[in-house]
Amino acid sequence: MRFIHVADVHLGARPDAGPLYSEERPRELWETFEHVIRTCEKEQTDLLLIAGDLFHRQPLIRELKEADYLFSELTHTKVVLIAGNHDYIGTNSNYRTFQWSENVYPLFGETMQYADFPELDTAVYGLSYHSREIRDPFYDEVKAAGVRGCEILLAHGGDDRHIPFDRRKLEQSGFDYIALGHIHKPAVLKKDRIIYAGALEPTDINDTGEHGYVKGEVNGHEVHTRWVPCASRTYIHLSAEVCRDDTTGSIAKKIGQWICENGTENIYRIELRGKRDPDVLLDTSRMAEEGNILEITDRTSPAYDFEKLYAEHKDSILGKYIGQFRECREDSVEYQALCEGVEALIGSMRK
């Protein structure tokens, strides 16, 4: 039996995307999901497992129809899904009344239930969120019932507010495979057995690293999996070291080179560090024109010779200010206050 495990697709979200891709990103979430559907059809995958948060919020009827159309085009694959904390089944949720295609098996109950596939000798278990948060550790008490040779659990959660669980109890639950959702970074809790697929596409600037889905194959009680990257873009955080010779123009040029090396299709957060020429004012807005940059943070400090400044101005406000911080470490908050204060005082002296 072959399966694909996805989670946290977040259809309907508008991810952080910067000036170049803000309008495209919502559609790209659908396109990547469509790619997974095409893969299921091409490879005649037996089961598509969706471990919660197919949608970013309460889904609209038109969104459900679009998703169901994609599922209906599958000639072999059965689709099993649960609702997560984002697309939880609220009082007026369209999940409650929507009629899915015959190959779709929603596990939308508040308590554990399962979809039975005797032709695959497989049963898939799961429960759905009916509120934004569930603090009870429901998965800790779940056991495979033994109704089929292969038994799989769809589970969404893993933090204090979203069905916390004891990893050891999951390992002892008797399931051949546990398909996890909610945590956006892919993670293997037990090789080939308990896996977070991670978000299909990154939706937040902190969703760094590659994103994709899990392919699995079950032979008897042997399970083999591999993780498949498929996201169209990646969030990348760069820490850029600035030196005394740098200017806004030279740093902008470096940023352009870094972006070319790491992929012009990706989305960046850049932090500037190091010591700069005190006479240079860094214009981060100009630097941000070099690529699709969400944010540039300037954490540089002016390369002052504080001992020299203190000796030259020890009887002035500037010297007395420096004297208050002479023993502080360069990695301290006090040193940052020293740099900012000296810069402001010198600036006022030049006016």
Side-chain angles (χ1 to χ4, degrees):
M1 190 277 290
R2 293 179 300 167
F3 65 85
I4 283 180
H5 160 206
V6 303
D8 301 284
V9 184
H10 288 285
L11 299 174
R14 296 191 65 84
D16 298 331
L20 297 183
Y21 306 123
S22 288
E23 297 304 314
E24 296 179 31
R25 281 300 282 160
R27 181 59 207 166
E28 287 178 346
L29 302 186
W30 281 92
E31 289 171 351
T32 299
F33 185 57
E34 289 166 5
H35 166 76
V36 173
I37 299 294
R38 290 194 299 272
T39 300
C40 287
E41 180 65 14
K42 179 181 178 181
E43 300 182 0
Q44 293 291 280
T45 303
D46 295 304
L47 292 176
L48 172 59
L49 308 171
I50 304 176
D53 286 351
L54 174 60
F55 294 94
H56 188 61
R57 44 165 168 65
Q58 301 286 294
L60 304 173
I61 289 290
R62 60 179 174 79
E63 292 173 322
L64 289 171
K65 287 184 175 181
E66 290 292 342
D68 188 59
Y69 169 74
L70 297 175
F71 297 148
S72 72
E73 290 288 285
L74 293 167
T75 60
H76 179 80
T77 306
K78 310 287 196 306
V79 181
V80 189
L81 72 154
I82 59 175
N85 60 297
H86 277 266
D87 59 353
Y88 71 95
I89 302 174
T91 304
N92 299 314
S93 172
N94 291 317
Y95 272 149
R96 291 182 177 274
T97 57
F98 188 75
Q99 297 298 307
W100 296 93
S101 295
E102 61 181 11
N103 66 325
V104 181
Y105 297 78
L107 301 176
F108 284 166
E110 288 186 79
T111 57
M112 195 61 60
Q113 58 187 135
Y114 67 87
D116 188 17
F117 304 100
E119 71 279 12
L120 300 173
D121 193 22
T122 299
V124 181
Y125 296 69
L127 59 81
S128 285
Y129 282 66
H130 283 238
S131 59
R132 292 182 186 277
E133 297 183 1
I134 302 177
R135 295 175 181 263
D136 297 316
F138 289 138
Y139 301 132
D140 286 356
E141 307 305 320
V142 175
K143 300 290 183 183
V147 297
R148 292 295 171 193
C150 174
E151 298 192 305
I152 293 172
L153 174 64
L154 290 183
H156 189 91
D159 63 35
D160 291 342
R161 295 183 297 130
H162 305 96
I163 315 187
F165 58 76
D166 184 324
R167 176 173 169 176
R168 291 170 300 176
K169 290 182 178 180
L170 276 188
E171 291 178 358
Q172 298 165 6
S173 62
F175 290 99
D176 296 278
Y177 182 73
I178 299 177
L180 294 172
H182 181 60
I183 305 301
H184 282 200
K185 292 183 184 297
V188 177
L189 302 191
K190 185 176 182 181
K191 186 177 185 297
D192 291 326
R193 296 286 180 167
I194 307 175
I195 299 177
Y196 277 106
L200 198 58
E201 281 272 352
T203 58
D204 180 87
I205 186 62
N206 293 312
D207 284 352
T208 54
E210 290 189 308
H211 288 76
Y213 59 91
V214 176
K215 276 188 180 181
E217 185 170 336
V218 182
N219 292 306
H221 285 283
E222 288 190 7
V223 183
H224 301 282
T225 63
R226 67 184 179 94
W227 188 79
V228 182
C230 70
S232 56
R233 308 190 194 284
T234 300
Y235 290 108
I236 295 178
H237 294 184
L238 290 177
S239 183
E241 195 69 22
V242 172
C243 64
R244 190 181 178 104
D245 294 333
D246 274 318
T247 64
T248 293
S250 69
I251 297 172
K253 184 177 180 180
K254 290 179 183 179
I255 288 174
Q257 292 170 343
W258 293 327
I259 288 175
C260 286
E261 292 168 2
N262 288 279
T264 55
E265 76 281 5
N266 296 319
I267 304 169
Y268 293 86
R269 169 186 279 170
I270 296 173
E271 185 175 90
L272 304 179
R273 291 189 171 275
K275 293 185 179 292
R276 56 176 168 77
D277 188 326
D279 293 322
V280 170
L281 181 64
L282 300 181
D283 184 353
T284 55
S285 62
R286 179 180 160 196
M287 296 174 196
E289 297 172 357
E290 293 299 318
N292 197 52
I293 300 170
L294 279 181
E295 180 182 85
I296 298 181
T297 304
D298 182 6
R299 299 197 184 281
T300 62
S301 58
Y304 289 118
D305 184 338
F306 289 114
E307 288 301 318
K308 182 179 179 181
L309 281 174
Y310 177 74
E312 292 175 351
H313 301 277
K314 61 182 178 180
D315 294 325
S316 69
I317 294 176
L318 175 60
K320 291 176 181 178
Y321 184 81
I322 294 171
Q324 296 295 316
F325 297 93
R326 291 184 74 190
E327 302 301 322
C328 68
R329 302 191 319 272
E330 288 196 14
D331 60 350
S332 66
V333 175
E334 289 81 5
Y335 186 80
Q336 184 179 351
L338 169 62
C339 292
E340 292 177 359
V342 168
E343 195 163 24
L345 287 170
I346 289 179
S348 66
M349 290 165 58
R350 289 172 176 167
K351 290 181 180 178

